[in-house]
Amino acid sequence: MQVRDLDGAPVPPADFEPLYNSYVTDPIFARRFTWVWVAGTLAFVALYSPKLLAGLWSGRIWQGWAIYERFNHGYQSLDHEPIEEKRSPSHTPGRNPPGPSRMPVARRLTSLIKGAADFVQLRVVKGSNLDVGQIIVLAAYLVTLLICVIYQAPLKSNSNRAGFLSLAQFPFVFLYAAKSSPLTLLLGRGYEKLNFLHRWAGRALFLTATIHGSLWINFYIRNNQASILLTEDKERRGEATYALLCLIVLGSLKPVRRFAYNYFYAFHTLATTAFFISICYHTPYAVPWVVPPVAFYTFDFLVRLIRMRFKDAYLEAPDNLITLIHIPDVSGGWIAGQHVRIRIFFEGRVFEQHPLSILNAPPTISTFANYPSTSEKVEFERNGSGMMLAARSCGDWSDALNRLARSDLPEDKGSSIALLPVHGTGGSGHEDIHELEITEGRRVGVMIDGPFGGPSIDFAQSENVLLISGGSGATFTLGILDDLVGRIVLDKRLGKASGTIRTRKIHFVWCVKSYGSILWFMRQFQAVAKAASDPSLDLEVHFRFFVTCFCNPDVLPTLRNSQVTQTKPVISDVLEEYIGDVVASDSSRGGLAVGASGPERLTSEARNAVANIGPIMASRLGGVELHTEAYCL
């Protein structure tokens, strides 16, 4: 019998359930998921905004966007007094005078809160290479995603909700994959720091796509409709799309990325293009979600195309373990700590591209002395430090490059430039100076893409700086060291009093396998030590080298303010010892900045060591900042 209300209109039974329309309801949840992750991203942008505004105010944030060349001179020695009134030798222009610095209450409170947060978020979970902060972000993403997939969704009979949530993840996956994404500016992180979100979001996309496909297959089989999977166009296109997604996932596994990166990259690009085409044939609802990734990729491609540079470079191989690459005719456009992706045209390796850290500051800042030359042309080309890179021999490409640098040079492939260090006695009487022997360097053509990345903190804002590196990770920390000392020298020479550079104590720590490895950058170390030796700078630079093998130490020249220890370091002990020296000195309230670069094990130890400082000591130090650099595929 039909039930009617008082007005005579039909009334549905109490147990009646309206028909679920997935094409109306599910897109709503896809949009809600998008609003949540966009809001989360904007929240992190807001948290970083004070540093962003400070970088905009100083202009430093714009200095690392595109490499350029300018016909000017590079570093000049500090040979005259500042152009302003005389000060006492103990007071350096633009920097706080020696003595205990008074820390404002607001800064002390901020340091205490940040120290408490770092005590938790910086700890690396063993075996994951992710710290607690990253895990919290990923957990928030996955929980939000699963709630949107499961909430009031009849997945057993209609799993379209999981399919729509797969589509909704496309913009996120591509936004956090782009190397020239606007997020690198707004979040103060290079693409390599955000890439873990791209990888995990891709895995989440694969999960939701698997839920969508497997539950539909199960539905058809349970209802004796399995033939639809082989006859209907929509289902067959969905199966083809999922097969492409499986290939993308398999081709993105870490062993593939690590041992065959160029093949991975080419396959990743082609398979993703095919995946987008296939999914648009599978469902028209995919088209609006494909447009943002295409826009992100196009923007990234155009920016990288504009910043691309073709240059001549010169190769030096101090030994069979490393190859130094000098690109002379570039004048700036990067900041210390950034890296470039470089292609070197040799032996038909046109398509191989590799990331290398820039080991020097721009020539207008760098403390590295100019290379001598024997001809007027080469003198013009090599004026200033240019850009220096280093490639550690650890694979097919780098081994071949090292062999090329050590091979005999034909007449049309070399240039008379000074690259090889020889021992000599310096006039100061304090140390042996690595002079340069005139030799021929292998000239090659290169394509430079970048620069990318860079430190998320300004080391110059801290009075105390600890730089720790292992192996070829020294290319990052050496660049930071050169930048800090060069900026201090430049401010002194120009008589600036801006107060933007506060560093007074720098401790450079490098862990290597042999004493001979220290010679790779000995010329640069000596240049920095010489520039920092001016007593009017109120700057202390100390070098400490840890050598892990028992070999002949006699190959090393002397280097002022240096110490060589034949042992494997414990990062927490090194940090604790340095903090003890800082607390005992008069700069214990000026802040501490720690930079670590090298293998993942080293950077993970550095994160845990900084986390163990605790909020009380962090507040006493005036705040602790950390930046780690570990390139991994």
Side-chain angles (χ1 to χ4, degrees):
M1 185 175 71
Q2 191 176 33
V3 181
R4 293 179 179 270
D5 63 8
L6 296 178
D7 296 329
V11 178
D15 58 348
F16 175 78
E17 293 185 7
L19 183 65
Y20 181 81
N21 190 342
S22 66
Y23 295 106
V24 174
T25 304
D26 294 345
I28 295 175
F29 282 89
R31 289 192 294 271
R32 288 175 180 174
F33 172 76
T34 302
W35 296 338
V36 170
W37 74 255
V38 169
T41 300
L42 293 177
F44 281 103
V45 171
L47 287 175
Y48 179 72
S49 59
K51 291 185 178 181
L52 176 63
L53 293 175
L56 291 172
W57 179 259
S58 66
R60 184 169 172 80
I61 202 169
W62 303 112
Q63 296 174 9
W65 283 95
I67 293 170
Y68 62 86
E69 60 180 80
R70 184 173 58 202
F71 304 129
N72 66 339
H73 291 274
Y75 170 79
Q76 300 174 10
S77 61
L78 180 59
D79 54 2
H80 61 277
E81 292 294 323
I83 313 172
E84 65 173 15
E85 61 182 357
K86 299 287 183 178
R87 291 175 171 80
S88 65
S90 61
H91 183 206
T92 302
R95 311 173 68 216
N96 295 328
S101 54
R102 304 182 66 179
M103 190 177 3
V105 176
R107 183 178 177 184
R108 182 185 294 271
L109 181 61
T110 302
S111 301
L112 186 65
I113 295 173
K114 185 178 183 302
D118 290 345
F119 183 76
V120 177
Q121 69 171 358
L122 289 180
R123 297 186 181 277
V124 177
V125 177
K126 190 174 182 180
S128 68
N129 294 323
L130 296 173
D131 58 40
V132 174
Q134 292 173 322
I135 291 176
I136 291 174
V137 172
L138 290 175
Y141 179 90
L142 293 175
V143 168
T144 303
L145 177 66
L146 292 177
I147 290 175
C148 291
V149 170
I150 297 172
Y151 183 71
Q152 293 183 346
L155 293 177
K156 287 186 177 181
S157 60
N158 188 328
S159 60
N160 279 350
R161 176 78 64 82
F164 276 100
L165 267 299
S166 298
L167 299 177
Q169 294 181 80
F170 287 174
F172 186 95
V173 170
F174 273 75
L175 181 62
Y176 283 88
K179 292 179 172 60
S180 300
S181 169
L183 288 181
T184 59
L185 170 64
L186 297 176
L187 294 175
R189 300 288 190 275
Y191 73 91
E192 73 282 0
K193 298 295 183 184
L194 304 175
N195 195 255
F196 80 98
L197 291 170
H198 164 72
R199 293 195 300 268
W200 281 95
R203 292 161 186 164
L205 191 157
F206 178 70
L207 172 64
T208 53
T210 301
I211 294 173
H212 170 69
S214 61
L215 290 181
W216 269 122
I217 292 173
N218 180 66
F219 175 80
Y220 286 131
I221 293 175
R222 282 190 297 107
N223 291 277
N224 297 320
Q225 296 177 315
S227 60
I228 293 178
L229 299 173
L230 302 176
T231 58
E232 295 295 328
D233 288 342
K234 182 178 180 63
E235 280 67 22
R236 289 191 299 172
R237 291 166 182 167
E239 293 158 11
T241 303
Y242 184 74
L244 285 170
L245 182 59
C246 290
L247 291 176
I248 292 172
V249 171
L250 292 174
S252 303
L253 295 176
K254 189 170 184 177
V256 179
R257 301 196 309 267
R258 182 175 181 180
F259 297 108
Y261 179 82
N262 289 289
Y263 294 102
F264 148 76
Y265 183 80
F267 177 77
H268 207 62
T269 303
L270 295 175
T272 302
T273 303
F275 172 78
F276 277 166
I277 295 173
S278 179
I279 201 169
C280 289
Y281 276 102
H282 172 58
T283 172
Y285 291 92
V287 175
W289 296 103
V290 169
V291 172
V294 172
F296 296 149
Y297 181 81
T298 303
F299 176 81
D300 177 68
F301 177 79
L302 291 177
V303 170
R304 295 175 65 181
L305 188 64
I306 292 171
R307 299 197 302 175
M308 195 174 296
R309 300 290 184 269
F310 291 87
K311 299 290 183 180
D312 283 337
Y314 300 91
L315 307 180
E316 169 200 359
D319 54 31
N320 62 349
L321 298 177
I322 199 166
T323 306
L324 303 182
I325 306 164
H326 183 253
I327 307 171
D329 58 338
V330 292
S331 303
W334 74 90
I335 60 175
Q338 288 187 303
H339 69 272
V340 294
R341 303 183 68 86
I342 188 170
R343 297 185 187 186
I344 301 180
F345 304 120
F346 73 103
E347 297 181 0
R349 299 173 183 266
V350 178
F351 300 105
E352 290 194 52
Q353 190 177 53
H354 296 266
L356 298 176
S357 294
I358 306 172
L359 64 84
N360 66 307
T364 53
I365 300 175
S366 179
T367 62
F368 300 165
N370 296 338
Y371 289 96
S373 59
T374 56
S375 69
E376 189 173 316
K377 177 178 181 296
V378 175
E379 172 68 26
F380 174 78
E381 289 180 348
R382 301 189 65 84
N383 198 9
S385 298
M387 177 185 290
M388 293 289 295
L389 309 171
R392 181 73 161 84
S393 298
C394 58
D396 178 64
W397 179 84
S398 53
D399 289 343
L401 185 68
N402 184 267
R403 289 194 299 270
L404 176 68
R406 291 186 290 118
S407 62
D408 294 333
L409 296 173
E411 293 183 1
D412 61 338
K413 294 294 184 180
S415 178
S416 296
I417 56 177
L419 288 171
L420 298 181
V422 295
H423 296 282
T425 303
S428 63
H430 296 289
E431 59 184 313
D432 292 337
I433 300 297
H434 261 51
E435 295 177 351
L436 293 175
E437 180 182 86
I438 303 301
T439 185
E440 287 193 332
R442 169 73 68 165
R443 186 175 64 212
V444 293
V446 300
M447 188 193 79
I448 307 172
D449 183 12
F452 301 105
S456 55
I457 62 176
D458 187 357
F459 288 87
Q461 295 301 305
S462 300
E463 288 190 13
N464 309 284
V465 176
L466 174 62
L467 301 173
I468 308 172
S469 58
S472 58
T475 55
F476 170 81
T477 53
L478 181 55
I480 299 296
L481 175 66
D482 183 34
D483 176 74
L484 287 173
V485 177
R487 288 165 66 184
I488 293 171
V489 170
L490 186 63
D491 270 18
K492 173 70 175 179
R493 188 173 72 241
L494 299 180
K496 292 184 178 180
S498 59
T500 58
I501 304 176
R502 302 171 182 170
T503 305
R504 292 168 54 191
K505 183 191 295 286
I506 305 174
H507 196 58
F508 186 93
V509 178
W510 188 21
C511 179
V512 291
K513 291 183 178 180
S514 66
Y515 287 94
S517 299
I518 302 176
L519 292 176
W520 295 346
F521 309 124
M522 181 56 71
R523 181 179 179 278
Q524 285 78 14
F525 292 144
Q526 291 179 332
V528 170
K530 181 179 179 182
S533 63
D534 189 335
S536 67
L537 296 178
D538 184 29
L539 176 65
E540 177 184 340
V541 178
H542 182 76
F543 298 90
R544 187 171 184 182
F545 304 103
F546 289 92
V547 182
T548 58
C549 81
F550 299 94
C551 45
N552 183 16
D554 297 334
V555 299
L556 287 181
T558 56
L559 175 67
R560 72 178 78 206
N561 295 330
S562 66
Q563 176 185 357
V564 180
T565 305
Q566 197 163 282
T567 185
K568 186 176 182 179
V570 178
I571 304 302
S572 58
D573 293 344
V574 173
L575 179 60
E576 184 178 352
E577 179 183 346
Y578 183 67
I579 290 177
D581 293 341
V582 169
V583 171
S585 68
D586 57 9
S587 60
S588 61
R589 297 179 182 178
L592 169 64
V594 180
S597 176
E600 287 182 312
R601 179 193 58 80
L602 183 145
T603 56
S604 296
E605 286 185 17
R607 285 179 172 273
N608 289 331
V610 172
N612 288 331
I613 291 177
I616 304 300
M617 179 56 72
S619 176
R620 183 178 179 183
L621 292 170
V624 179
E625 299 281 355
L626 171 68
H627 178 85
T628 59
E629 196 81 8
Y631 184 81
C632 56
L633 297 173

